[in-house]
Amino acid sequence: MQRVAAPGEPKDVAPRLILAIETSCDDTCAAVLDGPRVLANTISSQAAAHAQFGGVVPEVASRHHLELAAPVVAAALAEAGVTLDEIEAVAVTAGPGLIGALLVGVSTAKAIAAPRRLPLIPVDHLQGHVAANFLEPEPLQPPFLCLVASGGHTLLAGVREHAGYELLGQTLDDAAGEAFDKVARMLGLGYPGGPALEKLAREGDAEAFEMPVAMSRNPGLDFSFSGLKTALVYLCRDLGPEGVEERRADLAASFQAAAVSQLVAKLERALKRGDWGAVALGGGVAANGALREAVRVLSERRGVELKLVARELCTDNAAMIGSAARFAEPIPYPDYLAYDAFATGGRAAA
Ligand code: KG4
Ligand code: ZN
């Protein structure tokens, strides 16, 4: 049901009650937002289904999304205490991500929106990670500098408005989360590796092994994680299986410290170059305690405001997609019926 403008209210009011769907990788997510307020943020993780393969299998992910999409949407609506008839717009991640997984989300969103003649709001997944910072409590107002570090991307975003950002730097090879996952695998930790590696690192000595801090002499704002990963490969080879087993915690701690140090060094460089008064984080790696603490120390040292959203809003979720949708252009019915998901590249929203 479209919201009817109250007397005196502009006719083209932005939709307030938004149902958002996110299926870009291995989590089936649905959320209900009332403006910047999250009424429900439901996630069904497929981690267990992919763990046996040591990583996400795209076909397995698509099949699980197909089975889970409807129940996850129903659960989100139930938790929010909202019926589909009250929803004013349907937001969905259009890309980037696994194309089969994205298509399930986009088709589900269309199937819900079209019979009700609701607008559809396609959202860029990375814009979603940035937009998690616009949610209550204490929504962050642009301008701010945002480090987005996830399993597929690592970038520095200069956020000067709610819709969109300027890409200031990005990884030239692996994403930060991808490096965490690969190193975790070398250390015999399960999938997804990031949280397990962080836990193990707590028992280790971060200075036990000297790690290359990549790109430290590179003057730009780009990142690189493949050298660090290769350094770990050689270290593990030299230590041998027994040595690796013995020093797992030290290896995890040393790797994590080097990865965090690169992320924070680039963030600091970007802060020095711009006139940013605030910094924020986004993406799964932003749930990492060592990174959060290092960014807190940095923000204090540089005297800038720090916004750290709750960990569950860092890793993939649909609330962040609904948040980005609030500032994106809705596509009216039936113009979106032929709308397609995209695996890589261009932004759908903004
Ligand atoms: O944003 P996200 O949930 O999905 C993508 O868009 O990729 O990020 C997932 C990535 C994975 O690589 C995962 O290992 C990493 O974020 N991650 C972490 C932590 N929690 C998730 N990395 C380090 N420490 C964590 N606590
Ligand atoms: Zn993500």
Side-chain angles (χ1 to χ4, degrees):
M1 188 176 70
Q2 290 282 73
R3 193 155 74 94
V4 179
E9 201 178 24
K11 287 265 181 323
D12 56 339
V13 281
R16 255 189 42 217
L17 272 185
I18 295 180
L19 170 68
I21 297 170
E22 147 67 42
T23 62
S24 67
C25 191
D26 62 339
D27 293 316
T28 315
C29 317
V32 180
L33 265 69
D34 181 358
R37 213 153 56 86
V38 182
L39 302 183
N41 192 17
T42 308
I43 300 173
S44 176
S45 170
Q46 303 177 10
H50 298 281
Q52 56 182 313
F53 305 108
V56 178
V57 182
E59 185 56 27
V60 173
S62 309
R63 283 166 192 267
H64 275 83
H65 285 311
L66 262 180
E67 282 174 21
L68 292 166
V72 167
V73 166
L77 289 165
E79 192 188 329
V82 167
T83 66
L84 270 181
D85 288 340
E86 295 171 271
I87 294 294
E88 295 165 43
V90 182
V92 64
T93 308
L98 303 171
I99 192 65
L102 289 162
L103 282 170
V104 176
V106 170
S107 306
T108 304
K110 285 183 192 173
I112 293 170
R116 295 171 179 81
R117 309 291 192 261
L118 294 176
L120 185 89
I121 314 178
V123 171
D124 178 279
H125 182 80
L126 296 166
Q127 181 67 39
H129 277 306
V130 171
N133 291 290
F134 303 145
L135 290 167
E136 284 189 357
E138 296 167 23
L140 184 61
Q141 296 298 324
F144 60 91
L145 183 64
C146 188
L147 168 68
V148 178
S150 71
H153 300 84
T154 299
L155 59 88
L156 274 168
V159 185
R160 297 204 179 272
E161 50 176 357
H162 286 95
Y165 56 81
E166 184 189 351
L167 183 64
L168 303 174
Q170 61 185 326
T171 185
L172 302 176
D173 39 58
D174 290 355
E178 189 181 354
F180 268 89
D181 291 338
K182 285 177 178 168
V183 171
R185 204 168 164 178
M186 281 183 230
L187 301 180
L189 300 167
Y191 172 84
L197 194 142
E198 178 183 2
K199 199 164 161 229
L200 180 62
R202 279 190 217 123
E203 297 156 27
D205 174 5
E207 288 170 19
F209 297 100
E210 202 175 320
M211 296 286 168
V213 176
M215 311 290 282
S216 54
R217 282 188 296 276
N218 180 305
L221 294 174
D222 288 331
F223 303 86
S224 166
F225 289 94
S226 71
L228 182 55
K229 180 190 65 189
T230 309
L232 257 290
V233 171
Y234 286 132
L235 250 179
C236 290
R237 190 194 60 185
D238 295 346
L239 285 167
E242 277 173 25
V244 170
E245 187 55 37
E246 233 169 72
R247 309 289 307 273
R248 280 166 90 228
D250 288 344
L251 287 163
S254 301
F255 162 78
Q256 178 174 270
V260 166
S261 147
Q262 185 190 165
L263 291 168
V264 173
K266 289 300 156 75
L267 197 52
E268 177 153 30
R269 190 174 285 175
L271 275 177
K272 281 182 186 162
R273 286 186 184 182
D275 56 347
W276 306 105
V279 285
L281 299 180
V285 182
N288 183 278
L291 176 63
R292 292 166 83 90
E293 175 58 16
V295 174
R296 192 189 60 73
V297 171
L298 170 71
S299 67
E300 265 179 21
R301 181 152 45 80
R302 298 213 58 90
V304 293
E305 186 192 341
L306 171 66
K307 168 79 178 172
L308 287 178
V309 296
R311 284 180 165 80
E312 61 270 22
L313 291 175
C314 297
T315 45
D316 286 350
N317 65 87
M320 69 184 199
I321 301 303
S323 180
R326 296 183 56 231
F327 305 99
E329 200 57 47
I331 307 179
Y333 173 84
D335 300 2
Y336 52 77
L337 290 177
Y339 188 89
D340 228 347
F342 61 93
T344 54
R347 296 204 202 141

